Amino acid sequence: MNKNDFCKRPPMGWNSYDYFDTTVTEKDVRENAEYIAANLKEYGWEYVVIDIEWYSYDAGTQQPRYQYIPFGRSEMDEYGRLLPCPERFPSSIGGKGFAPLAEYIHSLGLKFGIHIMRGIPRLAAHLHMPILGSTQSANEVAEPNNTCFWNPDMYGLRPNEPGSQEYYNSIFALYAEWGVDFIKCDDICRMDNPSAKEEIRMLHNAIENCGRPIVLSLSPGPAIPTQAWWYEEYANMWRITDDLWDTWELVHAMFERCEVWQNHVSEGCFPDCDMLPFGRLGKGFGHEWNCRLTKEEQKTLMALWCIFRSPLMLGACPVLLDEDTLSLLTNRRLIAMQQEGFGAKQRERDASGALWISENSVTGSCYVACFNFREETAERSLKLKKLFPGRSFTEATDIFPDNTQSVGETLSVTMGAHGPAVYELR
Amino acid sequence: MNKNDFCKRPPMGWNSYDYFDTTVTEKDVRENAEYIAANLKEYGWEYVVIDIEWYSYDAGTQQPRYQYIPFGRSEMDEYGRLLPCPERFPSSIGGKGFAPLAEYIHSLGLKFGIHIMRGIPRLAAHLHMPILGSTQSANEVAEPNNTCFWNPDMYGLRPNEPGSQEYYNSIFALYAEWGVDFIKCDDICRMDNPSAKEEIRMLHNAIENCGRPIVLSLSPGPAIPTQAWWYEEYANMWRITDDLWDTWELVHAMFERCEVWQNHVSEGCFPDCDMLPFGRLGKGFGHEWNCRLTKEEQKTLMALWCIFRSPLMLGACPVLLDEDTLSLLTNRRLIAMQQEGFGAKQRERDASGALWISENSVTGSCYVACFNFREETAERSLKLKKLFPGRSFTEATDIFPDNTQSVGETLSVTMGAHGPAVYELR
Amino acid sequence: MNKNDFCKRPPMGWNSYDYFDTTVTEKDVRENAEYIAANLKEYGWEYVVIDIEWYSYDAGTQQPRYQYIPFGRSEMDEYGRLLPCPERFPSSIGGKGFAPLAEYIHSLGLKFGIHIMRGIPRLAAHLHMPILGSTQSANEVAEPNNTCFWNPDMYGLRPNEPGSQEYYNSIFALYAEWGVDFIKCDDICRMDNPSAKEEIRMLHNAIENCGRPIVLSLSPGPAIPTQAWWYEEYANMWRITDDLWDTWELVHAMFERCEVWQNHVSEGCFPDCDMLPFGRLGKGFGHEWNCRLTKEEQKTLMALWCIFRSPLMLGACPVLLDEDTLSLLTNRRLIAMQQEGFGAKQRERDASGALWISENSVTGSCYVACFNFREETAERSLKLKKLFPGRSFTEATDIFPDNTQSVGETLSVTMGAHGPAVYELR
Amino acid sequence: MNKNDFCKRPPMGWNSYDYFDTTVTEKDVRENAEYIAANLKEYGWEYVVIDIEWYSYDAGTQQPRYQYIPFGRSEMDEYGRLLPCPERFPSSIGGKGFAPLAEYIHSLGLKFGIHIMRGIPRLAAHLHMPILGSTQSANEVAEPNNTCFWNPDMYGLRPNEPGSQEYYNSIFALYAEWGVDFIKCDDICRMDNPSAKEEIRMLHNAIENCGRPIVLSLSPGPAIPTQAWWYEEYANMWRITDDLWDTWELVHAMFERCEVWQNHVSEGCFPDCDMLPFGRLGKGFGHEWNCRLTKEEQKTLMALWCIFRSPLMLGACPVLLDEDTLSLLTNRRLIAMQQEGFGAKQRERDASGALWISENSVTGSCYVACFNFREETAERSLKLKKLFPGRSFTEATDIFPDNTQSVGETLSVTMGAHGPAVYELR
């Protein structure tokens, strides 16, 4: 089993976090999965991912003081493995875990993913719980000073301690049994803690050991550029930014991140720009709102994510999607650029804007994406020969709104305030 | 009650750490206290301090892997207050805590001190234990990401949370009941954690609340020089270095520390150079040894500590003291310089040595201490007028070995390799 | 000659920088000195200090692009010693330097000071100029990578190179000849450059060598707290902040600085809070304005500077002083607190305000200064016994506006927005 | 002109620094170039590069105190352009610069390169010299605080100042006239100074403006990984390490550097591991020695440089090369791996060793390079299917010493202490 073989193209799907935070329930997941199957699946959207603290009983009840309640009550089996909270995921009652829900997601033609925190539950360590497949117990593998600075649930594992790999094996065996296709592991990607690097390899090993092709996604960013080779060796996607929300400043900051990571995109290896904070957001955080990015800014975000080939994980509430957002998510040319692109390269970036190019590995057409960082409309004339030495084009298709025109040596583009111009060249 | 009134001069005593580490027992404490009462008390040595993890059942059993065993078993009351491990301190059986031992120490004419870690036991938080005098419980005042990086026992307290001050009040009320005279609080002095600064004030408040004059000593160092006023306002002594052991490099490094803190010594306020690592050391760490400092280096250490007015806490095993060390600890002139000095000031420091001066507040005599950092004997001729403008002297007494000679404008001194020359001038 | 003997109290005077920047002329200096002699001298103001680049021909002509013109033209003698620009200081013509101007200032009963930059003029090094009193030349003592990051005029000197001390000796010999009483040396205090620490000692040595009691003032801050002893050994005043201008944020930030340095004030040793940015400001910078601090904020500034015992160097244009400012500068009680105070100590500081106390070494009266950081009026009731244990008072004089009332155990004070309440207690 | 077109493969050549430091003369260059033409050219070695301070009269005369004499004498034309010192390069007399020497190098079938420092000579700025092609003069484009911390010759240029680009244009016009093929620009690659990034682009522009295909090499390292795209856009090679000398520690440290940069090697873009410190070294530094690396360590160095595709710049004195070194430099298989390789990738690295793979773009054969970091012989058995999924091999050729054997699924290799095993697989 080669992790690059079962994730050749950047994953697409939906993640519950941006709308539900820690509060998503089985009912929410089913409803939104059904919507996705009906409306988005045909464009490539396939993963349904339940984000953080699905094991918690009281998650979300102490907002805004605590996003994650210290010393809160969690569902856990006798081996210190977290289970879905049965009050929130009724189909898990009777020790079934996520198996029934995964089965339903699969029945819709979709794939099923869950979020985990790096490490082992703190309470398991304090109670000296046994580890399945090891004679060591939780207190022996947990590091008491290896904690996540923003979530209180876990202790990190000691990398070279007998029992540590076995603990990860034991949870992945369970996930494989349940039918999980995608794991987003948190508190690991930016290596805040010295053991995180080795824990990434342990997760990879646990996937190989469980035998099921589970996509491994690492959070939160920013990933460490000088560790690029490690992510490429052991993970399928890794966040290159801290949480991205719906502000222009955060979208704009991604251009620098993509510049840094542009040479690290390949089959099975996808630097991740984070979820798309579109549509309705924030219900689980206690204050619901509509995406604050302008339409042009949303197009800029999608254009950058797609030419760079970031995974596309929708952060909205799918059943509440508006028409405009839906049409952005179902732009087939954009998605083809993301799914079939290669060789994406930033050619310019300064205070006024940026320029990226790439190529379609299936059709051979080329892409040019121009971005306008200013708050007013901008025009540019692009010299295609300089950008694509050795290539010549006769047609240019504006991806927004999908108009084709003839083209010679120069392409003139117009961009709205904070907006993009993206063309496919043939 | 004013904390500067009950600690006007730098404390002197013995601390169990350097010899016993976490393993000291009631029998050890009694034996050594008896020795101190018989041999050292008359020179000013009075505090007997039990250092770290007196509440632990298995402390010291996993050396050298763990100095502090993760998730180890501790003795604790129903309010999350740690108690002496009854197996190690039999007189504490029946909920008597340290009261019987304190009473015995007092009966010897000595004072009794204990070590505590900043915060509340982790297990108390995970088990949601009640706090005496508060309606809040341990999980509400403990900060799950506020941990000591070298000891796994506690969580830090939330400074502005109701219940936090009450928890500290509850433990100091217990210590006052026991008859504790001295608290060495650890994981707090160098403010590794953002709450540490406020926790210092909370400790001070807890002492004022308990009504007993308990000396407050803060560890580990280095204390933060720009927070000097805070230590001066709320504590009696604060460590200005990380743990000091018996190597020349560490002794030598103290000259820079003392230089930084020389203006911050006053009644009730004593920057602390750490324990004297003399005599026998290390039994509790699993490998016992004799102090590796040469005699000259030991004299340098004592001379610097004394002219600077550091507290003097002996780190040896008193009952095993050799004659030479004993004579160093009972040099009355040295101790007078520490107890009665004022205005200590470094006048020179470079690669070859250092020079300090101070004055005796009782007798009016002056002190000059010359230090030799080189590995060979050195001589110097000191111009007394330049060092003490407006003063003139007729007699100079060499504190080692206590010989008096007549003196004029110049004092010629000889120092051994890494050794001092200390003179009292009248 | 002992540097602490000729500067026992914190210096007071006027500095040309805040109003004239680099452009001050002989005429400006004479006019303002006359004003000071007539109106401020009797209150203690005595130093008249010419600030930066008095040697420059074109200083100020490229504002706002350059405050200090790169590679600009300077007046210099054949030994690489800078001389006053004769176009700006006509009395210096004929090689007389500042001697005639100093003589005039002295004739007014005032003292004369000038600003210098650490190091040797760059051009002197590039031209291999000789050093008076040494066989080495400028290129041999200048360090080519030892430059000031904000001023382009000089290279730092190599501390242990023959000729370096001689260069400093040669300029101080000249200054002594001119009759200079005060040197403000810049680019040295915060030790941006590794040689700065040694250059402070070299300046001190040069003063001792020249035989004239010249007060040594070091800039810019913030001075390094852990080097306090060095400043105390070799300088009379040292800036504890970067340039202070007329904004509340900068005034407010000084409370933390004073807290850090409060134990380092003594005869001949004065941590310096920087000039008083009062009255008219900025002409030489190309945009003149009135001090933007409110009256209350100006009082806060003066009260802190005075209780802390910072030197008081007026930064205004004296001849343009308004009545209000003048009355603040001539408050005899405030100035007595600065000149005669001792033992100043911050007792509280938090987001709402601060509280300082000190004592008058001549009269024995005590001072309490309460500061209000909020933007609205505040009241406080002070327990005098807690603040001054062992003391009792019958009278309290409000220093603003100098009203005396009787007082018991408690003093009630009212402070305006950002304002102080300062009382003298007897 | 596209910079990636005239440098498709990693450059190979010789650089005068490691042997001659600043002291190389025309005679030395000619002799060694002749040797290279006769003995190394056929294997691909072609650049002859004169390193630092060829313009200096007294370079090397103050060793060991100064490698670069402060304020030393240089040859310069009336536009502030440095010229070869005529005493050291006699053919340059009469204003001919390096043209005659370049012509001779070309006549040998080799290419000619020189070293430059970023910026403009300091003296040019202090003397306000004119800039060819601009109305601005040197003092207007030089930044007085923008200096190289290890060399005293230059000031950096202000990126957006008129005249700055013109100054670089003026020197590259001269170099093009002389026939220079390769520029190694120093004090620029690791962007110690904020203007360095823009100065890289200015150098690139100056090359485009001069019209001659000059390879641009940037020093010193380590290059900044997050600026990878900038180097790729504007330079041909950039140093990824500080100076590499002949110690195992430095060679070993390169594995981490290569790991970081492995995805940034492409046509025209070569991260540079620095010169090969082989054979005789150090004459110009004042103490000559033989390469201190063992034979195995030298093989490791060559194997890593070649599989990674670093440029190969020999740092020895060619005419003094010994047989062993010569045979290492003329190993055709190794050089083919460097010249024709692609897709080099580190697959493992830990305390015991590292493993790299790559492929030959011309022949399709694969390479595996195993490295042994331990000080004793090591053996490994490599699973070829795991390393090269989808490929199968029948023959394996050991590159040292070029023995071919048949191979199946596993390849067993033996490595000496600190030595490599490199195999070509077909």
Side-chain angles (χ1 to χ4, degrees), chain B residues 210-226:
Chain B
C210 84
R212 184 177 174 89
I214 298 177
V215 170
L216 181 58
S217 162
L218 306 179
S219 275
I224 312 298
T226 56

Side-chain angles (χ1 to χ4, degrees), chain A residues 344-379:
Chain A
K345 194 171 163 57
Q346 182 180 269
R347 292 302 306 273
E348 297 173 16
R349 187 169 67 83
D350 59 22
S352 67
L355 192 154
W356 282 72
I357 59 172
S358 80
E359 198 169 337
N360 187 303
S361 64
V362 177
T363 65
S365 64
C366 289
Y367 299 104
V368 59
C370 244
F371 299 94
N372 174 22
F373 295 165
R374 301 217 188 268
E375 302 200 352
E376 54 211 20
T377 300
E379 305 201 340

